[in-house]
């Protein structure tokens, strides 16, 4: 289902009203980073529901009955799109026309980067060459990397689209949404400057990541991702890939190899064996963090700080 892009055209009388909590529409979000942005825009009005909660990953998530009920009751649903949350494609297509489904990877003014292929970012012979999942997901991956929120400027573009959708669904609270969005955009600008300062001292040091989810962060801040352990987190890497990454660590002098909280750390240990590289952890989806308005900021600050901490180590 395509996103619903609705122009922000509201009369003064619509903006002046204020709905009660009971009148606030049910809002559902797919993953924690989006939930955090939506929760920030909705502060003081309501709280969005979250589908992929706890330490679960959208790459491996299976819908629960409670998730299906939430979608059926929703007035607005926010998701990235079929390239990331493939499991939502069919449930969202079954929703009626009265539900606003905002596919945020279609928001205006996004910077989109194609998935990388070749060398340390290519599948090895032991991996499924259809490793990105369904045909819909493969098609989306052929177009662009869906981890768009890892560039704060993309987050600001999504905030604008979130505000449009919420204001269309709940015009009596449109002014509150717009004011919250303005404050949130300012806070994101401050975050962006903080991250630039944090990673600047280590920007020239190459590192390896668990899967290739970080190129928006790399593109924004000039850090050097030298390769990934696996192409797709749904598919474990084979011996050829691990050997290739081991060689890459040695040849480039990669300082760190970063795991992710919800995937197997033993793969990182195997890739590190016999090298001088250190192990670290990056969490691009905030799986280890409590959901809420502050999650996006903690997620991004943690990535910057964990990169700096590991890449600054000597010997």
């Amino acid at each position: 289902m395509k996103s619903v892009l609705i122009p922000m055209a509201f009369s003064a009388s619509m903006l002046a009203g204020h709905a009660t909590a009971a009148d606030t529409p049910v809002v559902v979000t797919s993953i924690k980073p989006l939930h955090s942005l939506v929760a920030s825009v909705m502060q003081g009005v309501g709280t969005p529901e979250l589908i992929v909660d706890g330490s679960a990953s959208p790459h491996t998530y299976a819908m629960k009955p409670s998730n299906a009920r939430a979608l059926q009751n929703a007035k607005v649903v926010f998701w990235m799109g079929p390239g990331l949350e493939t499991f939502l494609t069919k449930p969202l297509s079954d929703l009626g026309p009265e539900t606003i489904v905002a596919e945020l990877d279609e928001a205006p003014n996004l910077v989109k980067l194609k998935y990388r292929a070749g060398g340390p970012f290519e599948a090895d012979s032991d991996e499924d060459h259809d490793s990105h999942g369904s045909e819909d997901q493969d098609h989306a991956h052929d177009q662009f990397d869906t981890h768009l929120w890892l560039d704060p400027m993309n987050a600001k573009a999504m905030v604008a689209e979130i505000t449009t959708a919420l204001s269309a669904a709940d015009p009596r609270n449109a002014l509150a949404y717009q004011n919250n969005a303005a404050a949130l955009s300012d806070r994101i600008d401050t975050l962006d400057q903080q991250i630039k300062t944090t990673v600047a001292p280590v920007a020239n040091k190459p590192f390896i990541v668990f899967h290739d989810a970080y190129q928006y962060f790399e593109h924004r801040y000039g850090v050097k991702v030298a390769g990934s352990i696996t192409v797709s987190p749904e598919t474990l890497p084979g011996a050829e890939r691990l050997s290739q990454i081991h060689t890459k660590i040695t040849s480039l002098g990669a300082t760190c190899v970063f795991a992710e909280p919800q995937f197997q750390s033993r793969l990182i240990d195997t890739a590190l064996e016999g090298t001088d590289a250190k192990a670290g952890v990056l969490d691009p989806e905030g799986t280890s963090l409590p959901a809420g308005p502050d999650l996006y900021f903690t997620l991004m600050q943690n990535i910057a700080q964990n990169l700096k901490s590991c890449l600054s180590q000597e010997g």
Side-chain angles (χ1 to χ4, degrees), residues 80-252:
M80 284 305 303
L84 184 69
E85 309 102 316
T86 308
F87 70 91
L88 276 177
T89 303
K90 179 62 166 62
L92 291 180
S93 70
D94 292 337
L95 296 180
E98 69 280 0
T99 305
I100 296 175
V101 177
E103 184 178 325
L104 293 179
D105 66 12
E106 293 187 350
N109 303 315
L110 291 172
V111 172
K112 295 183 179 181
L113 303 174
K114 291 184 177 180
Y115 266 91
R116 292 181 278 206
F121 296 103
E122 189 58 88
D124 66 37
S125 60
D126 294 328
E127 290 185 274
D128 180 2
H129 289 280
D130 190 26
S131 62
H132 292 306
S134 69
E135 290 183 6
D136 285 342
Q137 190 179 23
D138 283 346
H139 180 65
H141 276 218
D142 287 342
Q143 295 177 36
F144 59 90
D145 183 338
T146 53
H147 298 84
L148 291 151
W149 63 88
L150 293 181
D151 181 341
M153 298 304 102
N154 281 344
K156 288 181 64 175
M158 290 189 282
V159 166
E161 180 62 10
I162 289 165
T163 306
T164 299
L166 289 174
S167 298
D170 184 21
R172 283 179 292 183
N173 283 307
L175 184 57
Y177 296 139
Q178 292 171 34
N179 288 339
N180 285 343
L184 178 57
S185 292
D186 288 344
R187 189 181 177 192
I188 291 173
D189 285 336
T190 299
L191 171 72
D192 182 50
Q193 292 302 315
Q194 291 171 340
I195 292 173
K196 287 178 181 177
T197 300
T198 299
V199 302
V202 296
N204 64 336
K205 296 188 176 183
F207 59 94
I208 306 293
V209 295
F210 183 83
H211 82 291
D212 190 21
Y214 303 91
Q215 63 171 326
Y216 289 104
F217 193 97
E218 178 183 4
H219 183 262
R220 180 70 184 169
Y221 300 112
V223 296
K224 295 179 63 176
V225 178
S228 60
I229 297 294
T230 183
V231 170
S232 170
E234 302 97 326
T235 307
L236 295 179
E240 180 181 340
R241 160 51 60 86
L242 289 173
S243 175
Q244 182 186 55
I245 293 298
H246 190 279
T247 300
K248 193 76 173 177
I249 294 169
T250 303
S251 64
L252 289 183

